Amino acid sequence: SRPILDMSYSRHFLDFQGSSIPSSMKKLVVTKLSQNFREAVTLQQDSPVPLPGDGDLLVRNRFVGINASDINYSAGRYDASVKPPFDIGFEGVGDVVALGLSASADYTVGQAVAYVKAGSFAEYTVVPARQAVPLPSVKAEFLTLMVSGATAYLSLKELGDLSEGKKVLVTAAAGGTGQFAVQLAKKAKCHVIGTCSSDEKGGFLKSIGCDHTINYKTENVESVLRKDYPEGVDVVYESVGGKMFDLALNALAIKGRLIVIGFISGYQNPTGLQPIKAELLPAKLLKKSASVRGFFLNHYLSDYKMALQHLLKMYERGDLVCEVDFGDMSPEGKFTGLESVFRAVDYMYMGKNIGKIVVELPHSVNSKL
């Protein structure tokens, strides 16, 4: 049977204007399962650049996003059947540099795209055209929406039941996804409280509309909530876990809802968890007719494109701040090149970032695209 891909045609695409796509590239690979990212992951210097199939795009990555769950992935917590070596990195923004014949119906070489797919920590990634999101330009801000923005938007829409006057507590509010929970809750005319770890982060939160910031390094979050919100809070957007989860649970109002989108405080532990006082959970929920709901983006993919289009429009209208942290203030400076992904992961777990951590992958100088 004749292959669908006419190789003479594909050759034209693969060498568009002599764009000199190299035959080998750098990429990060999980070579050992561990929650210690530096132990688990290896930088490979000369991996073959993958070829796109008929319905695929070859994307040269320009920006890749760092997620707290990168550590869960390198520890093998998402799929026990997957054994190393495997590629890592969940999201990227870049240019299409080659594509298959079917994919050329909707995309062209040189087009800017974003995607969510395992294997973004590489100079080039093959992305099925149906999973790609066309963009007006290659900008790091678009990357903030792919996982972090979509998580905040869909979890609050599906589980938050937000309405005017509701009190919403966002933990790790100045982080990659917290920044969007704050802004979306404000758009719903809620009163928003955000926890953070520095006055600088508090200032950023106020600039995006947060009504009340609590610096948990200098203030007792529990006392502040008890004093200022004696009736409790209606919704909690919770990504920290451990003691913060217990505290947020205790702060719920009657019929309050706690949405768990992560528990970063435990990810670096061998179990991936920080202990919580769960034995009291049934009594606490019953006493307040309260609920705890988990949210994992992969279970809401049917609504993903709609959420993303909505967020992109908001950003383009100037209704959404997409704060990017390139690590300029980190000890060794800006996160540039795949080598700096390790530093970027450390930076996130030290709680230093304001907004979404993004690593820039510089152009190769011989490219004409």
Side-chain angles (χ1 to χ4, degrees), residues 9 44 59 65 81 88 140 142 164 174 241 254-255 281 307 311 347:
Y9 195 60
Q44 295 190 346
V59 178
S81 67
I88 191 166
F142 293 124
E164 187 169 354
I254 303 293
K255 298 185 183 174
L281 190 62
L311 291 166
Y347 182 74

Side-chain angles (χ1 to χ4, degrees), residues 79 159 161 219 249 278:
D79 185 350
L159 309 177
D161 192 23
E219 299 174 82
L249 182 70

Side-chain angles (χ1 to χ4, degrees), residues 45-357:
Q45 297 282 355
D46 54 357
S47 296
V49 171
L51 286 177
D54 179 58
D56 295 334
L57 312 173
L58 180 65
V59 178
R60 178 178 59 202
N61 294 314
R62 295 272 303 286
F63 299 105
V64 293
I66 304 295
N67 291 285
S69 42
D70 290 330
I71 279 188
N72 287 334
Y73 201 56
S74 71
R77 289 179 187 139
Y78 286 150
D79 185 350
S81 67
V82 178
K83 300 286 180 264
F86 55 87
D87 296 349
I88 191 166
F90 290 130
E91 52 185 344
V93 165
D95 317 282
V96 175
V97 290
L99 68 173
L101 188 53
S102 297
S104 69
D106 299 305
Y107 288 91
T108 57
V109 167
Q111 191 163 355
V113 293
Y115 63 89
V116 175
K117 177 183 178 285
S120 72
F121 291 165
E123 291 178 320
Y124 295 83
T125 303
V126 166
V127 179
R130 68 180 189 284
Q131 288 178 24
V133 179
L135 297 175
S137 61
V138 174
K139 279 174 79 172
E141 283 75 11
F142 293 124
L143 195 54
T144 67
L145 302 174
M146 300 300 293
V147 171
S148 302
T151 294
Y153 178 83
L154 285 169
S155 63
L156 290 173
K157 180 173 178 287
E158 297 292 325
L159 309 177
D161 192 23
L162 301 184
S163 58
E164 187 169 354
K166 291 273 176 78
K167 293 185 269 301
V168 179
L169 171 65
V170 180
T171 63
T177 188
Q179 64 171 327
F180 295 110
V182 167
Q183 293 178 79
L184 294 167
K186 279 307 293 177
K187 297 268 182 254
K189 300 184 175 170
C190 297
H191 175 91
V192 184
I193 309 128
T195 70
C196 60
S197 60
S198 72
D199 292 342
E200 189 191 357
K201 290 185 181 190
F204 164 68
L205 288 173
K206 290 205 170 90
S207 78
I208 59 170
C210 195
D211 297 290
H212 188 166
T213 62
I214 308 173
N215 179 344
Y216 63 81
K217 292 279 177 79
T218 58
E219 299 174 82
N220 182 310
V221 180
E222 197 162 14
S223 332
V224 172
L225 289 173
R226 202 180 297 121
K227 175 174 150 296
D228 293 345
Y229 304 95
E231 301 291 304
V233 297
D234 302 297
V235 179
V236 182
Y237 183 87
E238 216 296 273
S239 61
V240 177
K243 290 185 176 126
M244 188 64 84
F245 174 89
D246 288 330
L247 190 154
L249 182 70
N250 291 339
L252 283 177
I254 303 293
K255 298 185 183 174
R257 288 176 300 288
L258 191 156
I259 305 169
V260 176
I261 64 117
F263 32 93
I264 188 172
S265 63
Y267 292 172
Q268 290 180 293
N269 298 344
T271 60
L273 296 165
Q274 281 273 48
I276 57 167
K277 295 174 179 159
E279 66 276 7
L280 301 173
L281 190 62
K284 286 180 178 179
L285 295 179
L286 180 66
K287 188 178 166 190
K288 294 178 175 176
S289 294
S291 64
V292 175
R293 298 285 300 270
F295 179 89
F296 188 47
L297 186 58
N298 290 14
H299 300 146
Y300 290 83
L301 293 181
S302 57
D303 296 321
Y304 178 76
K305 281 256 162 113
M306 170 278 296
L308 206 55
Q309 294 308 330
H310 183 81
L311 291 166
L312 282 165
K313 283 191 187 114
M314 283 180 76
Y315 172 66
E316 283 165 10
R317 283 198 310 263
D319 289 344
L320 201 60
V321 172
C322 298
E323 188 70 17
V324 173
D325 191 332
F326 281 117
D328 294 296
M329 307 310 288
S330 67
E332 292 170 59
K334 186 174 175 178
F335 302 133
T336 306
L338 287 170
E339 304 79 9
S340 65
V341 167
F342 298 97
R343 280 201 301 122
V345 169
D346 290 343
Y347 182 74
M348 174 172 49
Y349 278 94
M350 288 188 286
K352 299 292 189 193
N353 58 301
I354 295 181
K356 172 89 179 179
I357 301 177

